[in-house]
Each structure stands twice: as C-alpha cells, then as structure tokens.
Amino acid sequence: MPGGAGEPPTDGALCRAFLAGDAQAFGELVRRHEELLLRVLRRYASTLDETRDLVQRAFLQAFQAARRALPRLAREADEVPFKPWLLRIAINLGKNHLRDTSRWATVPVDAAEGRRGEGASAQELLERAEQEAAVRKAVLFLPRRQREVFTLRIDGALPFAEVAQALGITEGNAKTHFHHAVKRLKEETRKP
Amino acid sequence: MTMTCEDFELELGAPALSALARAHLEGCASCRETYEVVALAALPEVTAAERAALVGLSTSALSAWRAQDRRRDVLSRVASLALAAGLGAVLATGVMWKARPAAVAEVPALVQPVAAPVLLEPVVPDFSGDAFNSGDDEVSWEVSWPLVTEGDL
Ligand SMILES: [Zn+2]
C-alpha cells in the first residue's frame, strides 16, 4: 500500500494503487469515507439496508469513474479527485433512489429511536417530530443545486470549498446556493 | 468584534459554532430562527446501529467489484464472439452470393430474403462500465471526466 511510515497516502494514491492491483488500498479508501457517505445518503433512504446498499454502489461507481479517467491523467502527479467524485455520485444515487422508490424519507428509524427520553413530553416530541418531517421533506424538494449544497454542508459537514469541488461550482456559488436554501426552508416553516 | 447574519449562516453545518457565532445568536432573532430551521432539517447523529451496518462494507464492496469485473469480462468475450460470428456470416453470405447458380438470380423472390445489410452491422452492446448502471444514466453522465460545471448562478 502507498504511503509507508510518513504521511498517510492521499485518496488519489490509494485509488491508483487499487487500480494497479492493490486490494488493501480499496479497503482503506472505503473505510476512510464510508461514514461520510452514510451521513449523506441516509437522507434518501428509508432503511439502513438501503443506505448501506447506496453507499456500496457509490464506491463502485467512483472506482469505475476513476478507472475510466486514469488513462487521461497522464502524469503520476495528477491527483485523482476521488472524494469529490464519490460525493457527487452519492448525491445523484440518492436522488435517483428517491425517484425510483417514490418514497420520502424523514429520519432513519434507528436514529429516531435515539432521540427519545430527553425529558420532553410525548406531545412535545410528537410536535417536534412533525416539524422535523415537514422541514426534511422540504429539503428534498429544494431546487437541485440548493439541495445538493445544503445536504453536503449539513449532512456531510463539509467546508464550502469541498462542497464546491464536489459539485464543480465555485465556493462563492456554493455559499449563495446555501443561503437560498436556508431562506426557502425558513419560508416553508412559516407557512401555516 | 461582531458578526453579520451572513457570516453566522455560513457557520451552520460546521462541527461547532464559534464563540462569536454563539454571541451573535444570543442577540439576533432572525439567526435564531435560521438556526432552529437548520436544526430541524439536520438528521440526528449517526447511531451505533448505523455504524455497525458499515462493518464489513469494504469486504463486500470489493467482492461486488470483482464480480462486476468478471461479468464484464464474460460479456466482452460474448460480444467479441458475436462480432466475429457476424463478420463470418457476412463473409459466408458474400461467398455464397458469388457462387450461386445463375438460374437463381432469375427468380427475384428467392434472392430478396437474404438479409446481408443486417449482418453487416451486428448490434454489439456497449459493455463499458457505464452500461452496467442502466438505472443510473444520469450519474454516469454527470461524473464523466472532467466534472461538468453546469448550473452555476
Ligand atoms: Zn443574525
């Protein structure tokens, strides 16, 4: 595996190593990004199994994209932008999954279980859950770019620079889309 | 030093609010509303059950990758054989055409059904990686190299 005793290998180096036959590099890349992908993709899935399946498919497609692109990255120093590809593939897979299943996820079941017992009354919990469901549904109905930026920022907790890189837009545009997304969600919650 | 509402908004989604942002939140009703809406929209922390679901993912993903590669190899070979068979049929048709008895040519109804043009261009599916993701056309298109930059403001 690339890297050795010094700095950990970059995503690009691991990706190249895997495509050259190093199976360990594949595992390392998956472990490095699997939780991020889970956080991004669970918004689009109804069950944990679905989320896991989407995460796996995102990795496979990212490696395919890398394999196609590698011959065009002539020099060894050309970095394979693996993480941006992975994120971009993930949000598209999520969106396609939603479209294909025609279901609107609100919150993963297991995660909802974890919210209970914080001292609030049953009525308060119910109201809160309804508000959450409404706002999360509104997130999925945001215009495409706003939804992509908002979810990568909020679910992925990514810096705007990385959000922008994943979507192939400028950092300034990513911030503008985020602002419009927040504004729209605020307007939605004010509706009676 | 103070913070503007725009700056506050851009801190949302960061792992933790800065002291400046927290101070701004205290005194700004609009940002408190923003904060509450984003909190409602955000999903809860990843649970232990969700983390557990990722155990073994690298192994299963690698197996899926290898299975996919094997399938691709088989289909490529089938496509090559189909192509070779198609070309062979075209050649054979040409040979038979040249060798046909002169009398046959005088009976158009017997000659016309020879479908040489179909064999000239056998339909060979695209067995590249994209073709396996028939349900993800959009994804395959959107991650082509280099990344597209459509949709900017
Ligand atoms: Zn403010």
Side-chain angles (χ1 to χ4, degrees):
Chain A
M1 203 159 66
E7 292 279 298
T10 63
D11 286 356
L14 286 170
C15 187
R16 279 180 188 275
F18 167 61
L19 293 174
D22 180 353
Q24 264 191 302
F26 181 99
E28 174 62 28
L29 260 181
V30 171
R31 283 188 292 276
R32 192 177 278 188
H33 297 300
E34 61 189 5
E35 189 169 321
L36 171 61
L37 250 57
L38 176 113
R39 283 192 274 123
V40 168
L41 281 164
R42 64 190 177 142
R43 188 177 285 277
Y44 298 94
S46 301
T47 66
L48 201 45
D49 281 347
E50 276 181 15
T51 308
R52 191 182 192 277
D53 181 57
L54 287 170
V55 171
Q56 176 165 310
R57 283 164 59 196
F59 276 111
L60 296 185
Q61 290 202 13
F63 280 114
Q64 282 171 5
R67 181 156 65 182
R68 285 196 301 274
L70 215 54
R72 289 180 237 183
L73 299 174
R75 291 177 297 116
E76 196 65 25
D78 288 338
E79 183 66 13
V80 178
F82 187 79
K83 188 177 174 188
W85 285 349
L86 191 60
L87 288 166
R88 186 166 191 158
I89 287 165
I91 54 173
N92 280 297
L93 276 176
K95 179 192 66 183
N96 290 351
H97 178 76
L98 212 54
R99 181 197 62 200
D100 296 343
T101 56
S102 300
R103 283 181 303 197
W104 301 97
T106 48
V107 56
V109 176
D110 294 337
E113 293 293 323
R115 277 280 176 94
R116 293 184 184 145
E118 290 171 7
S121 72
Q123 180 62 29
E124 284 168 337
L125 282 172
L126 185 67
E127 280 172 16
R128 176 82 187 179
E130 281 172 357
Q131 284 177 318
E132 284 174 344
V135 179
R136 287 171 194 164
K137 188 169 180 177
V139 170
L140 297 173
F141 280 102
L142 285 170
R144 189 189 73 154
R145 197 57 100 189
Q146 288 178 27
R147 174 180 50 80
E148 290 171 348
V149 169
F150 185 86
T151 55
L152 286 179
R153 174 69 181 169
I154 298 300
D155 299 341
L158 293 168
F160 281 103
E162 281 194 43
V163 172
Q165 199 190 1
L167 299 176
I169 59 179
T170 65
E171 190 175 339
N173 276 343
K175 289 176 177 174
T176 306
H177 285 300
F178 184 76
H179 171 73
H180 287 303
V182 170
K183 193 173 159 207
R184 204 167 174 130
L185 292 175
K186 280 170 84 173
E187 285 165 3
E188 284 292 324
T189 54
R190 285 186 201 131
K191 283 181 187 169
Chain B
M1 212 167 89
T2 56
M3 183 179 237
T4 65
C5 294
E6 287 75 24
D7 291 338
F8 175 82
E9 192 178 280
L10 293 176
E11 277 211 19
L12 297 172
L17 286 182
S18 66
L20 263 183
R22 286 199 304 275
H24 180 90
L25 193 61
E26 289 276 304
C28 180
S30 173
C31 284
R32 280 200 298 277
E33 187 193 357
T34 304
Y35 185 77
E36 175 61 14
V37 167
V38 171
L40 287 169
L43 298 179
E45 288 300 308
V46 172
T47 64
E50 288 176 298
R51 276 203 185 86
L54 294 175
V55 173
L57 180 78
S58 60
T59 310
S60 65
L62 185 58
S63 299
W65 172 267
R66 286 173 172 157
Q68 195 173 271
D69 261 9
R70 280 195 297 274
R71 212 160 52 236
R72 195 174 70 152
D73 288 348
V74 168
L75 290 173
S76 295
R77 275 200 291 277
V78 169
S80 303
L81 287 172
L83 184 62
L87 287 172
V90 170
L91 289 173
T93 305
V95 170
M96 284 169 67
W97 183 257
K98 281 186 176 173
R100 76 195 189 284
V104 174
E106 289 161 12
V107 188
L110 290 175
V111 173
Q112 279 168 354
V114 176
V118 175
L119 292 171
L120 278 172
E121 289 185 39
V123 179
V124 181
D126 174 13
F127 292 112
S128 64
D130 286 352
F132 281 92
N133 306 303
S134 52
D136 304 310
D137 299 343
E138 207 171 342
V139 174
S140 301
W141 180 80
E142 288 195 9
V143 297
S144 57
W145 173 269
L147 291 174
V148 289
T149 54
E150 88 286 12
D152 287 5
L153 285 179

